[in-house]
Amino acid sequence: MTVATWAPAEYEDAARAEIDRMADAVRASDLAARVPSCPDWNVAELVAHVGRIHRWAARMVRDRASERLDPRSFDLELPADATDARAYGEWLAAGGDLLGDAFAATDPDADVWSWGADQHARFWSRRMLHETCVHRVDADLACGQETTVDARIAADGIGELLANIPTARYFRPRVAELRGEGESIALRSRDRDEGWHIRLRADGFEWEPVVASGATVTVTAPTETLLLVLYGRRPATATDLEGDDALLARWLEASKL
């Protein structure tokens, strides 16, 4: 299942809002601070990663790329002073401008390479929303700020992640381990009438957006928490678990993107 649930313009606007929100957090940050949810990075390295992804996606969309461009080939033009938080925030926001320009100039249904199942420009507006949202949470945590994710964004993010995991094998080979003999994981939102049911098969997994019962393990939490647990930004203990928690642990470890 790969179909997005929002219009492309909604994804574009929501992505822009998340970029601006992250840029605001960065402007008030200590760029040398470690990012607790990505401990190999400090804030400056986090911003460089996210800004590179924005510029890469913008180039892919703008050029209607038919194959993967190498993001390492781009001149990022990072601010010269790696301690200047305001300049880093402005640089991050500028990447949002590039994305916005690329989306505005491109038909969402145009063919564009992606690492996901949806090989159209519209893939990138949805992906940039959720890529930025999760890393904006990282920035908030590094800055010691309270962090929240809109429940509607979180719900779409769960579906987007589940749809894209199978095609992430080329850069995350462990997703090939997401298989089984009929075991299932039920994700249940506490604040929305929504759920996601994952069933492991011998050749991989399938999922559907339903509130399921009788799963091998059932995970219940606010939608925001479910999303952040799936992305490793919250521990599974932040949820209510019923059933085989070892199955959930196996899923979370093998599905890391």
Side-chain angles (χ1 to χ4, degrees), residues 204-239:
F205 73 91
E206 60 185 3
W207 70 278
E208 54 184 340
V210 298
V211 179
S213 58
T216 310
V217 60
T218 299
V219 189
T220 306
T223 318
E224 168 191 34
T225 302
L226 291 174
L227 177 73
L228 296 180
V229 168
L230 290 176
Y231 271 104
R233 269 59 180 186
R234 291 280 188 269
T237 52
T239 69

Side-chain angles (χ1 to χ4, degrees), residues 226-256:
L226 291 174
L227 177 73
L228 296 180
V229 168
L230 290 176
Y231 271 104
R233 269 59 180 186
R234 291 280 188 269
T237 52
T239 69
D240 290 335
L241 295 177
E242 296 180 14
D244 185 359
D245 56 357
L247 174 62
L248 177 64
R250 180 164 71 86
W251 172 275
L252 294 175
E253 185 61 31
S255 64
K256 286 180 180 178

Side-chain angles (χ1 to χ4, degrees), residues 37-117:
S37 45
C38 300
D40 290 340
W41 287 341
N42 61 24
V43 174
E45 291 165 331
L46 171 67
V47 175
H49 168 78
V50 177
R52 183 189 294 275
I53 294 296
H54 291 162
R55 287 160 172 78
W56 176 56
R59 181 78 66 84
M60 298 285 295
V61 171
R62 187 197 71 191
D63 294 354
R64 279 77 157 173
S66 60
E67 59 184 21
R68 181 184 182 274
L69 304 179
D70 185 353
R72 297 169 299 180
S73 67
F74 303 163
D75 184 357
L76 295 182
E77 299 180 342
L78 278 162
D81 184 354
T83 67
D84 188 341
R86 176 161 293 277
Y88 265 68
E90 294 300 323
W91 178 84
L92 184 66
D97 294 338
L98 293 173
L99 270 176
D101 291 345
F103 291 139
T106 307
D107 184 338
D109 294 330
D111 292 339
V112 175
W113 180 92
S114 82
W115 59 266

Side-chain angles (χ1 to χ4, degrees), residues 35-38 46 133-143 233:
V35 181
S37 45
C38 300
L46 171 67
C133 178
V134 171
H135 285 312
R136 189 265 303 161
V137 168
D138 293 330
D140 287 345
L141 294 173
C143 298
R233 269 59 180 186

